Amino acid sequence: MIVIACPGQGSQTPGFLNEWLELPGSREFLGEASERAGVDLVAHGTVSDADTIRDTAVAQPLIVAASLLAWRELSARTSVADAGIAGHSVGEFAAAAAAGVLSEQDALRLVGVRGRAMAEAATKAETGMAAVVGGVEADVLAKIEAHGLTPANRNGGGQIVAAGARESLAALAEDAPRGARVIPLQVAGAFHTDYMASAIPVLREAAEGVTASAPTHRLWTNADGSIVEDGARFVELLVSQIANPVRWDACMEGFQTAGISGLIELTPAGALTGIAKRGLKGVPSVAIKSPADLDTAVALITETAPAA
């Protein structure tokens, strides 16, 4: 089984959609996605600078729309009917649409709401995030807790992201766990912590108007790495996940249990394949960064498909 991974916030770079807009129908898709999300995705994916697309209200719908565009193109080139799907943080909205839980239109509308609500929540306190790379996991978690921080993203592959007050993050950097590096992340707030709690009712209200369907693919959740078979339950988890840690490490454990034969990361790709190389050793992966990578992804699917 191939797993299709949908990336999270921080994967976007200036101009990363330029080559995608050369594909037939892509501009029309992104135009419609812009209307749903309430963000000019074409402009932000082509001409906006790094600071502009770092804005949570911009970054989240931009990433989800890009992933869905890549999913459309991949699906048009090969069968993905047997693929499993998982998203990292905001990538779960792209995963929900790819797996048939939500329509693309609803996923884009909801992620627009999510981005704006989380951006608003981030203005209420001086918070941030930092990646802790290396060290012994138990020691890293203990040190994060000792500084009053939350392990907001447990990514596996020797990476845990701490989140909380900026002064506490600075203290952690000065008191790094043995054998670990603390790397500040360019994000606007402490995502997936209690600091984001005010965004939950906003997204929950918006989600009340959507119709959720049972997944058409095996679908893992960031909540605990389990497979979710009920669409309404997955939507509930999308809402609560705003203020709860991302367990990508548990998702990768689920991938291993399922015996996956490869991992393909949708656009804007790179972060999750990097983690997979450390946490899923021996599992081939492809990062679809541009349309030129689609052929490589198709080849991986073809090579690992079970014999008829």
Side-chain angles (χ1 to χ4, degrees):
M1 177 198 299
I2 291 287
V3 165
I4 306 297
C6 306
Q9 196 163 340
S11 302
Q12 72 281 4
T13 55
F16 78 98
L17 285 181
N18 279 314
E19 292 180 64
W20 290 96
L21 284 169
E22 297 174 7
L23 299 178
S26 61
R27 188 174 293 272
E28 289 76 12
F29 168 74
L30 290 171
E32 294 173 3
S34 297
E35 292 182 8
R36 292 286 179 175
V39 176
D40 188 342
L41 300 173
V42 174
H44 291 310
T46 55
V47 299
S48 292
D49 61 19
D51 287 337
T52 300
I53 63 174
R54 191 178 294 127
D55 181 348
T56 302
V58 171
Q60 294 192 7
L62 182 60
I63 291 165
V64 170
S67 292
L68 290 177
L69 179 57
W71 169 253
R72 281 180 163 220
E73 293 295 331
L74 181 64
S75 302
R77 287 166 168 75
T78 189
S79 173
V80 289
D82 295 328
I85 298 175
H88 185 283
S89 186
V90 73
E92 289 201 294
F93 285 79
V101 171
L102 295 175
S103 67
E104 289 181 339
Q105 294 84 354
D106 282 339
L108 289 161
R109 182 178 66 84
L110 290 180
V111 78
V113 172
R114 182 188 194 263
R116 290 186 290 274
M118 291 178 70
E120 174 62 25
T123 65
K124 298 180 179 180
E126 289 292 324
T127 62
M129 305 177 82
V132 185
V133 181
V136 176
E137 181 175 292
D139 295 342
V140 171
L141 291 171
K143 189 72 75 171
I144 289 172
E145 182 179 358
H147 285 283
L149 297 164
T150 299
N153 295 352
R154 294 177 62 173
N155 288 331
Q159 183 191 103
I160 297 174
V161 176
R166 290 197 179 276
E167 60 267 27
S168 298
L169 290 169
L172 176 65
E174 293 293 327
D175 184 31
R178 181 185 297 273
R181 293 178 296 133
V182 179
I183 306 169
L185 300 181
Q186 296 299 312
V187 295
F191 303 143
H192 300 292
T193 72
D194 289 340
Y195 286 101
M196 293 292 111
S198 63
I200 289 180
V202 179
L203 183 58
R204 179 176 291 123
E205 181 179 0
E208 289 175 355
V210 306
T211 299
S213 302
T216 54
H217 296 255
R218 191 176 301 194
L219 179 63
W220 284 269
T221 171
N222 284 176
D224 57 10
S226 64
I227 294 170
V228 180
E229 298 179 347
D230 180 83
R233 174 59 179 157
F234 195 76
V235 173
E236 290 175 2
L237 291 170
L238 287 178
V239 174
S240 62
Q241 199 64 36
I242 287 177
N244 285 285
V246 169
R247 292 300 306 273
W248 189 250
D249 59 338
C251 287
M252 289 200 299
E253 289 173 7
F255 303 162
Q256 289 180 312
T257 299
I260 70 165
S261 54
L263 181 142
I264 295 172
E265 184 181 3
L266 300 179
T267 306
L272 298 182
T273 48
I275 293 171
K277 287 175 182 177
R278 300 188 300 273
L280 294 171
K281 292 182 178 179
V283 175
S285 62
V286 174
I288 303 179
K289 298 182 178 182
S290 75
D293 298 313
L294 287 166
D295 287 344
T296 307
V298 170
L300 178 59
I301 292 172
T302 302
E303 292 165 3
T304 58

